[in-house]
Amino acid sequence: MKATETSWGVTPVPDRLRTLSLVDGLLLWGNLGISLLVLVAGALLVPALGLKEAFAVILLGAVVGNALLGLAGLIGFERRVPAMVLLRDPLGRRGSYLPTVLNVGQNLGWAPFELIVIATAANALAGRLFDFHTRWVWVLVFGAVTLAFALAGPISFVRKWVRRFALWAVLASTAYLTWWALTGADLGRLWSQPGKGGLTFWQGVDLTVAMAASWLPLAADYTRFNRDGRGAF
């Protein structure tokens, strides 16, 4: 049977399957970076920090975190294997089993949080539009969608879903949330208002770096399918 990217395992990806472009990568990571859970995490910065300080935290943390993520993606492109296979060089085959198990645990831990946030948002929207309030239904729906994406594989996910649908959904939702947050807001007062404390500047940077760095164990799984190293980075 002819192997495809959906069934490709831990061996190096052949050139014929390395089809993701720079644009594909931008669309993929742009969508992954603008999730409801990430937006909720932003609420931890303000009002603990002032808005001006929070923007500085986000800028610095994003540069550091995404630089680390880009380097991990570049290594994945050069070696053509998943991130957990890359650990076999420094740790050995058996030594890589522990971080692999921890990586699986991390993903199983993130999934419920993501599904709960998405289902809560969908339930609130459905309740407003259709007077339908059953969150567990949305958990099942989006859980099934997530499983379908995983089985489709990275190339199909990016080309068939992100390019055609997810990009526009993210842009529309981001534009709406931005409008909703700024409507009636006194930006001048918010910009000059100091934080209330409870979170230091560097703790905020650490949180922001962690949001990007949390993708480190998965970056190579996608970038091994990139056409070139620059696009992967």
Side-chain angles (χ1 to χ4, degrees), residues 18 57 62 72 75 85 145 155 184 212:
R18 286 157 68 91
V57 162
I75 294 172
V85 178
V145 171
I155 296 178

Side-chain angles (χ1 to χ4, degrees), residues 1 7 28 38 40 45 56 59 66 100 164-165 174 191 197 221:
M1 183 176 67
S7 62
L28 169 66
V38 173
V40 171
L45 300 178
L59 178 61
N66 284 292
T100 299
R164 297 179 183 179
F165 304 105
T174 303
W191 187 255
D221 295 20

Side-chain angles (χ1 to χ4, degrees), residues 46-134:
V46 178
L49 302 173
L51 186 60
K52 186 188 302 183
E53 194 174 21
F55 269 103
V57 162
I58 292 171
L59 178 61
L60 179 58
V63 169
V64 174
N66 284 292
L68 294 173
L69 186 61
L71 290 173
L74 182 59
I75 294 172
F77 165 79
E78 292 176 346
R79 297 296 303 276
R80 306 185 179 203
V81 294
M84 294 302 100
V85 178
L86 290 173
L87 294 177
R88 292 180 181 180
D89 279 351
L91 301 177
R93 189 183 185 91
R94 291 185 178 180
S96 69
Y97 291 162
L98 177 59
T100 299
V101 170
L102 293 176
N103 188 35
V104 172
Q106 176 196 224
N107 284 283
L108 291 176
W110 271 110
F113 285 104
E114 293 278 6
L115 288 175
I116 288 172
V117 172
I118 294 171
T120 300
N123 190 52
L125 183 61
R128 178 175 298 181
L129 297 178
F130 310 110
D131 194 27
F132 179 79
H133 299 276
T134 310

Side-chain angles (χ1 to χ4, degrees), residues 25-35 170:
L26 290 174
L27 295 178
L28 169 66
W29 294 104
N31 276 272
L32 295 177
I34 307 177
S35 68
V170 167

